[in-house]
Amino acid sequence: MDIKIAPSILSADFCNLQSELGAIKSADLVHVDVMDAHFVPNLTIGEPVVKRIAEVSPLPLDIHLMIDSPDIFALDYAFKNVESITFHLAASHAPIRLARKIREKGIKACCALNPAVGLEGLSEILGEFDSVLVMSVEPGFGGQKFLSSQLSKVRRLKKEIEDRGLDIKIEIDGGINRQTIGPACRAGASIIVAGSAIYGEKDRAKAIKELREIAERA
Ligand code: DX5
Ligand code: ZN
């Protein structure tokens, strides 16, 4: 399987973002977590900071919006060097319209599901997306424990995508490390977000290489 590793800068040193971006250039994407203290109980960075990250990042950005009103704000993140914009299905009032607007900008549209959100409601609109992000922790913080209950959701989603002949990737986010990446990939995930498992290690390039090797063997 074609695996993409997306380090989450949530666990990076926010005072040294440019060097932290340089340290992960052997990865495939930079995962940027935008939190508004409403949709999740944490506050991170917004449009002006993400804009500069997009300008200086050696890798394309994978923007994960954990915000209440993606219908209003998502397009503010449609910068050059942004590969995908992810919004939570539970937060959008018009997910089809929003996915289409994102795609019109030449950016991939990705739909995120919280651990308690099932696949019902997504099936009808699956074809509107380039990828689906399965949260394997409750969103809001890095360093949480992987919820293995989400693996069956990934498997069911993978089967539905294959049965319907769709070209949609599955992304997994939360608690990914050397123990959990294998099961996640075997279940069907191919875009792998990892925050603390990469930025928590002194040698980020080595951490990326090890995760990639385990994922490719899975
Ligand atoms: C959590 C964020 C994740 C987070 C993952 O809400 O969406 O992207 O940074 O961090 P780890 O890999 O440490 O669970
Ligand atoms: Zn994330």
Side-chain angles (χ1 to χ4, degrees):
M1 208 189 320
D2 183 21
I3 299 287
K4 285 193 173 183
I5 305 284
S8 165
I9 55 164
L10 187 61
S11 296
D13 175 358
F14 276 94
C15 263
N16 288 297
L17 272 184
Q18 194 157 8
S19 66
E20 292 285 58
L21 291 167
I24 55 153
K25 53 179 188 285
S26 58
D28 302 286
L29 297 164
V30 180
H31 185 82
V32 180
D33 290 301
V34 174
M35 305 185 188
D36 67 351
H38 289 267
F39 185 72
V40 288
N42 196 5
L43 184 65
T44 56
I45 53 175
E47 183 259 323
V49 180
V50 178
K51 181 170 185 275
R52 279 297 290 146
I53 294 172
E55 283 166 1
V56 305
S57 172
L59 296 176
L61 268 46
D62 169 36
I63 296 180
H64 180 189
L65 299 176
M66 284 160 277
I67 62 173
D68 257 356
S69 305
D71 301 312
I72 299 171
F73 299 112
L75 272 286
D76 291 355
Y77 295 86
F79 304 117
K80 200 163 164 254
N81 203 24
V82 170
E83 172 151 322
S84 55
I85 295 180
T86 300
F87 63 90
H88 279 254
L89 190 57
S92 172
H93 298 293
I96 296 175
R97 187 190 301 139
L98 181 53
R100 290 182 182 179
K101 280 195 207 162
I102 293 170
R103 286 173 132 182
E104 272 167 23
K105 297 276 181 192
I107 293 172
K108 290 176 180 155
C110 178
C111 173
L113 304 176
N114 273 349
V117 177
L119 298 178
E120 317 73 43
L122 174 64
S123 292
E124 291 78 6
I125 63 169
L126 197 52
E128 301 287 338
F129 295 97
D130 298 286
S131 53
V132 176
L133 184 154
V134 174
M135 285 302 311
S136 40
V137 297
E138 291 284 11
F141 304 94
Q144 301 181 77
K145 192 172 179 295
F146 184 78
L147 295 167
S148 50
S149 57
Q150 299 307 304
L151 290 172
S152 68
K153 190 194 288 180
V154 174
R155 277 192 288 271
R156 279 181 283 122
L157 182 58
K158 176 76 177 167
K159 185 172 185 315
E160 178 164 359
I161 290 168
E162 282 178 355
D163 289 350
R164 291 172 57 185
L166 297 168
D167 180 19
I168 297 173
K169 308 281 184 228
I170 302 176
E171 178 165 5
I172 193 146
D173 184 7
I176 291 291
N177 55 34
R178 278 177 292 190
Q179 283 70 47
T180 55
I181 191 169
C185 292
R186 280 194 292 280
S190 64
I191 303 174
I192 313 296
V193 178
S196 47
I198 292 173
Y199 280 109
E201 297 291 326
K202 217 173 157 85
D203 188 341
R204 282 76 191 261
K206 183 165 168 252
I208 292 165
K209 186 168 176 277
E210 286 175 358
L211 288 174
R212 195 189 293 285
E213 281 169 4
I214 301 169
E216 281 168 356
R217 275 201 309 270

